Amino acid sequence: MRALVVYCHPVPESFCAAIRDAAVDVLTRRGWEVRLLDLYAERFDPVMGCDERRSYNDQAPQDPALKPHFELLEWAEAILFVYPTWWYGLPAMLKGWLDRVWATDVAFKLPAGKGRIKSLMTHVTKVGVITTCGAPTWWSVVVGQPGRKTLLRGMRALCATRCRTFFLAHYLMDSSTPATRAAFLAKVRGKLERF
């Protein structure tokens, strides 16, 4: 299995970094081929410019910096997102990556007229999300968990028909303790052993 780990956090010593490392370790030990995409470390530009937006419906973005990202999407059979939940959703960097990389002629083809969008991501059979969140579980649910819905409904809809998904969140991150973080890392490892 080929797994792309999409990691998005600006602080190198963050708890998300510990989650990333645990995920890569488990998947590698299971024999998976893992590629790590660290959006902040590579200084990914999440901003879609005027010309790119104007041609968005007609062709894949022409920015040469995006080509390696397109190749990673084509390569991956599983995608694991690791990021902090900010304001109930995705960090701007990750949302910009989705905007610019999951694009026409890369992740999907737009129909001529009123037909259906054709997925180009049917080779992806697994999508996972591991995130941290300052809010409690109940409040995140009341707000609607927009990040979870974006990735596990919106993006997953472009993947294989029977694509398996999972979502793990460490809630109340702002008041977490070494014990809660250790327990969550154990949960992450256990989930990825079965992923």
Side-chain angles (χ1 to χ4, degrees):
M1 183 66 84
R2 297 187 302 270
L4 173 62
V5 177
V6 181
Y7 173 69
C8 185
H9 200 295
V11 180
E13 69 278 10
S14 70
F15 183 59
C16 276
I19 294 169
R20 172 204 63 207
D21 293 346
V24 169
D25 177 60
V26 170
L27 296 176
T28 302
R29 278 191 301 99
R30 288 187 60 201
W32 290 29
E33 186 178 349
V34 178
R35 293 187 185 170
L36 174 64
L37 176 58
D38 184 333
L39 296 175
Y40 277 95
E42 80 158 47
R43 297 179 177 263
F44 179 78
D45 181 1
V47 178
M48 181 184 293
C50 179
D51 290 339
E52 188 174 319
R53 181 58 203 144
R54 283 183 175 144
S55 64
Y56 187 85
N57 291 348
D58 303 322
Q59 63 184 5
Q62 300 302 299
D63 182 346
L66 297 178
K67 189 173 188 289
H69 296 262
F70 300 156
E71 290 168 353
L72 284 172
L73 279 190
E74 188 177 332
W75 170 86
E77 295 172 309
I79 302 175
L80 178 64
F81 295 93
V82 179
Y83 64 91
T85 295
W86 291 338
W87 287 107
Y88 315 107
L90 308 173
M93 177 76 78
L94 181 53
K95 178 59 171 67
W97 183 77
L98 296 175
D99 290 343
R100 298 192 70 208
V101 175
W102 288 62
T104 306
D105 295 337
V106 178
F108 59 88
K109 282 195 171 293
L110 288 174
K114 293 185 178 182
R116 298 181 73 168
I117 290 175
K118 179 185 177 201
S119 172
L120 300 177
M121 298 293 293
T122 56
H123 55 281
V124 175
T125 60
K126 297 176 188 245
V127 177
V129 172
I130 307 174
T131 188
T132 58
C133 185
T137 308
W138 70 270
W139 183 247
S140 298
V141 170
V142 167
V143 170
Q145 298 180 307
R148 179 180 189 162
K149 287 179 180 173
T150 297
L151 296 172
L152 296 188
R153 288 190 188 174
M155 309 319 287
R156 184 247 175 258
L158 292 172
C159 298
T161 304
R162 292 190 174 97
C163 181
R164 294 180 57 207
T165 65
F166 79 85
F167 179 86
L168 284 179
H170 185 306
Y171 294 101
L172 295 172
M173 187 63 204
D174 300 337
S175 59
S176 69
T177 66
T180 63
R181 292 190 297 273
F184 187 74
L185 282 178
K187 191 174 181 179
V188 165
R189 288 181 174 278
K191 188 64 154 181
L192 289 173
E193 288 288 355
R194 301 183 303 274
F195 184 45

